[in-house]
Amino acid sequence: MATLSFNTTRMRTPSLPRISRSSSFTKPIKTHLSSSSFQTLSKRRRFVSRSLPESFTKEEETVVIAEDDDDPTSELSYLDPETDAESIKEWELDFCSRPILDSRGKKIWELVVCDASLSLQVTKYFPNNVINSITLKDAIVSITQDLGVPLPEKIRFFRSQMQTIITKACKELAIKEVPSKRCLSLFLWLQERYDTVYTRHPGFQKGSLPLLSLDNPFPMNLPENLFGEKWAFVQLPYSAVREEISDFEEKFVFGATLDLDLLGIDVDENTLIPGLSVASSRAKPLAAWMNGLEVCSIEADSTKGCLILAVGISTRYVYATYKKTPVTTDEAEAWESAKKASGGLHFLAIQDDLDSDDCVGFWLLIDLPPPPV
């Protein structure tokens, strides 16, 4: 076990539990996680697409229902006919330029919207001289009108540079904006569009860097309300994670899960998924505070002797520190190696006591590379 050290002037520096590279970390946490039955990428068939001429003249738009749409200049407007439109309450949204030039030699902008299950999928192209909150607001409204879906309760987005425009558009529509890198379906879809759409577009600019890159700022000190008391590296078999997350909403008030089928993580059922357990005598208040942070990932930084907690879009905290020794460095590196071996999958558990079989809050996390656009 280890004492969580957020501020070495207040708490003693911890000693990490020994991690064997070939066996287990410490005693596994027995959690009750669960798996959502979302649709997978393979369930997407054909789309109702709106073909757009290269000039982007709105008066010339034509609606085309394609048997096998292979036009990289077309737009998508799709709602799974088996999905109850009223059940889609949260969207994931990206509004950014693409590595594509229009007929004026200017970068094309694109709005991409989906839900976590990819039952809703919409793309719209825009010239670069109409990028503002009014354009975005009108586009959101048009999606609801075209597909008969209600305005979402929340919209997640991951680009800090677009926060002002997205926030203003959302506020005018009474939608809660959520800055977060937990836009995993959107991340996967943008990667897919880069591979199958953008690179085939006649205006594609190979080697073009993203106009709005993702931030990775220097980690800050952890707010006092997020302090824990003890921590330990732990693990669960992948099979246990898959089995247990089916009851997630019933078992946990605090936390977040992932659609493992959508992510398509290819690991053996016996693979041990690494995690971090944090214990506190005020576990419920701690979990409640964490619940509002959009927890994204945890990193063991062996070079600096600390754990980094990433939340929201670009906020990074020094979550814990430890005394650097050859042993602790080996342990931290082993934890990161285990995370890499599991496809980036890992978890955070908050407990009353590290020896307990139950958790107060559980967050299933994953390290995904940012989309290439």
Side-chain angles (χ1 to χ4, degrees):
M1 301 306 174
T3 301
L4 196 58
S5 176
F6 298 98
N7 185 330
T8 55
T9 62
R10 297 178 52 181
M11 299 182 183
R12 70 180 180 85
T13 303
S15 172
L16 291 179
R18 176 69 179 176
I19 304 173
S20 168
R21 290 181 181 272
S22 58
S23 60
S24 64
F25 291 64
T26 61
K27 176 185 177 183
I29 301 175
K30 296 179 182 177
T31 51
H32 301 283
L33 320 178
S34 73
S35 144
S36 307
S37 57
F38 293 133
Q39 294 187 357
T40 65
L41 279 166
S42 63
K43 290 191 178 181
R44 295 194 298 110
R45 299 290 190 264
R46 297 181 175 88
F47 300 92
V48 178
S49 61
R50 193 178 296 272
S51 291
L52 204 63
E54 198 175 49
S55 63
F56 296 96
T57 304
K58 292 297 178 182
E59 290 76 9
E60 298 176 2
E61 286 184 16
T62 56
V63 177
V64 177
I65 299 179
E67 281 299 310
D68 186 9
D69 184 66
D70 199 36
D71 181 4
T73 68
S74 66
E75 296 180 329
L76 303 178
S77 183
Y78 172 80
L79 177 65
D80 186 341
E82 298 180 0
T83 298
D84 178 9
E86 297 292 329
S87 69
I88 301 177
K89 300 183 183 299
E90 298 184 8
W91 292 3
E92 298 177 9
L93 179 151
D94 186 39
F95 192 32
C96 188
S97 67
R98 300 299 183 229
I100 300 170
L101 299 184
D102 61 17
S103 58
R104 301 169 301 139
K106 304 295 183 181
K107 274 194 173 184
I108 294 172
W109 282 62
E110 183 185 41
L111 172 66
V112 176
V113 170
C114 66
D115 70 323
S117 67
L118 292 176
S119 298
L120 170 70
Q121 300 178 52
V122 177
T123 69
K124 292 179 180 289
Y125 289 121
F126 297 90
N128 70 338
N129 57 359
V130 297
I131 306 306
N132 54 52
S133 63
I134 296 174
T135 296
L136 179 58
K137 182 191 71 172
D138 292 345
I140 292 172
V141 172
S142 73
I143 291 172
T144 65
Q145 294 172 343
D146 293 346
L147 292 176
V149 296
L151 286 172
E153 296 175 1
K154 297 179 181 179
I155 288 182
R156 282 183 170 81
F157 64 96
F158 63 89
R159 297 191 199 269
S160 59
Q161 300 94 334
M162 296 301 297
Q163 186 159 356
T164 299
I165 288 178
I166 295 174
T167 297
K168 187 173 182 181
C170 286
K171 286 189 181 302
E172 292 186 9
L173 296 172
I175 299 170
K176 180 178 176 57
E177 76 284 359
V178 182
S180 173
K181 286 184 180 176
R182 289 187 71 94
C183 302
L184 303 182
S185 298
L186 183 59
F187 273 35
L188 293 173
W189 192 21
L190 286 174
Q191 178 66 61
E192 182 187 60
R193 284 186 63 75
Y194 182 85
D195 294 336
T196 64
V197 178
Y198 306 145
T199 55
R200 295 175 48 250
H201 194 287
F204 176 68
Q205 299 296 298
K206 186 176 181 180
S208 177
L209 297 176
L211 178 64
L212 305 178
S213 58
L214 299 190
D215 297 328
N216 194 32
F218 192 78
M220 305 181 295
N221 291 332
L222 191 71
E224 191 163 336
N225 60 309
L226 300 180
F227 281 15
E229 294 163 8
K230 294 182 179 181
W231 63 277
F233 284 138
V234 291
Q235 63 185 0
L236 280 173
Y238 182 65
S239 57
V241 172
R242 291 188 61 88
E243 290 172 5
E244 298 289 343
I245 56 177
S246 60
D247 298 326
F248 183 87
E249 292 183 358
E250 297 178 11
K251 300 295 183 181
F252 292 103
V253 176
F254 308 114
T257 186
L258 300 172
D259 184 345
L260 298 177
D261 291 327
L262 179 67
L263 292 170
I265 298 174
D266 186 19
V267 296
D268 185 86
E269 292 292 290
N270 296 321
T271 298
L272 295 171
I273 307 302
L276 183 74
S277 176
V278 175
S280 172
S281 56
R282 41 185 288 280
K284 285 187 178 179
L286 176 59
W289 279 106
M290 294 290 291
N291 212 43
L293 291 181
E294 289 291 312
V295 179
C296 300
S297 64
I298 296 171
E299 172 192 352
D301 188 339
S302 59
T303 61
K304 295 182 173 63
C306 64
L307 306 181
I308 305 297
L309 175 71
V311 303
I313 291 181
S314 58
T315 302
R316 301 172 75 232
Y317 293 121
V318 178
Y319 197 40
T321 60
Y322 58 88
K323 184 177 180 180
K324 283 185 61 178
T325 67
V327 172
T328 58
T329 296
D330 182 67
E331 291 165 353
E333 290 177 350
W335 192 83
E336 282 293 326
S337 294
K339 187 169 63 171
K340 183 177 180 180
S342 63
L345 199 63
H346 57 297
F347 62 87
L348 169 67
I350 293 181
Q351 301 178 277
D352 293 303
D353 188 280
L354 291 181
D355 291 323
S356 173
D357 289 340
D358 300 315
C359 347
V360 176
F362 185 93
W363 287 260
L364 191 56
L365 311 171
I366 190 168
D367 281 340
L368 279 184
V373 292

